[in-house]
Amino acid sequence: MAQEVSEFLSQNPRVAAWAEALRCDGETDKHWRYRREFLLRNAGDLAPTGDAASTDTEEAADAGSGTRSRQLQQLVSFSMAWANHVFLGCRYPQKVMDKILSMAEGIKVTDAPIHTTRDELVAKKG
């Protein structure tokens, strides 16, 4: 899938620039590669199209409403929560976990670290 994402971005420079603007400072290439895939899979109409003529329409829609901005903020937040869960072992309320795991279906993460939860540590000592 990583090859498909790279190929898609090379053919859609506006989308590539849009996605790159969402990368966090200090985010490793590995984390970013997977989080970018998460963002692209779930962006829907939040990502720009490859059509330069659609820019005026998108900007007009953005000017009239903060809805797209809120949706983008939510998507970025979900992508970060998912990456934190996968790479750092963070846990979130069950509703959030269900949402981010369903959004990430089909993303194959290789070399993800294996984390031991607090509950697993307590169970071992008990």
Side-chain angles (χ1 to χ4, degrees):
M1 186 63 183
Q3 179 63 31
E4 293 171 21
V5 171
S6 295
E7 189 174 315
F8 171 78
L9 291 174
S10 70
Q11 295 170 3
N12 296 280
R14 288 185 66 218
V15 176
W18 172 83
E20 196 59 37
L22 301 175
R23 185 175 185 172
C24 296
D25 292 338
E27 188 167 18
T28 67
D29 290 341
K30 179 181 177 178
H31 291 197
W32 172 238
R33 184 173 62 246
Y34 292 111
R35 195 169 72 82
R36 179 180 64 191
E37 183 176 345
F38 182 101
L39 289 164
L40 293 172
R41 282 175 172 256
N42 294 286
D45 65 352
L46 295 174
T49 63
D51 180 11
S54 67
T55 303
D56 294 336
T57 306
E58 289 171 5
E59 288 173 359
D62 287 345
S65 168
T67 302
R68 285 175 61 89
S69 176
R70 285 189 300 277
Q71 290 172 335
L72 179 59
Q73 272 185 326
Q74 187 176 49
L75 175 60
V76 169
S77 297
F78 282 141
S79 75
M80 290 179 173
W82 174 76
N84 289 345
H85 168 68
V86 171
F87 297 109
L88 304 175
C90 297
R91 300 278 311 154
Y92 298 92
Q94 193 59 51
K95 188 174 179 181
V96 174
M97 292 300 297
D98 292 344
K99 177 74 172 172
I100 62 176
L101 293 176
S102 72
M103 292 172 78
E105 276 184 29
I107 298 176
K108 305 272 189 281
V109 178
T110 57
D111 303 333
I114 297 171
H115 301 283
T116 304
T117 66
R118 179 185 55 82
D119 293 340
E120 290 169 337
L121 289 172
V122 171
K124 284 181 184 177
K125 291 183 181 188

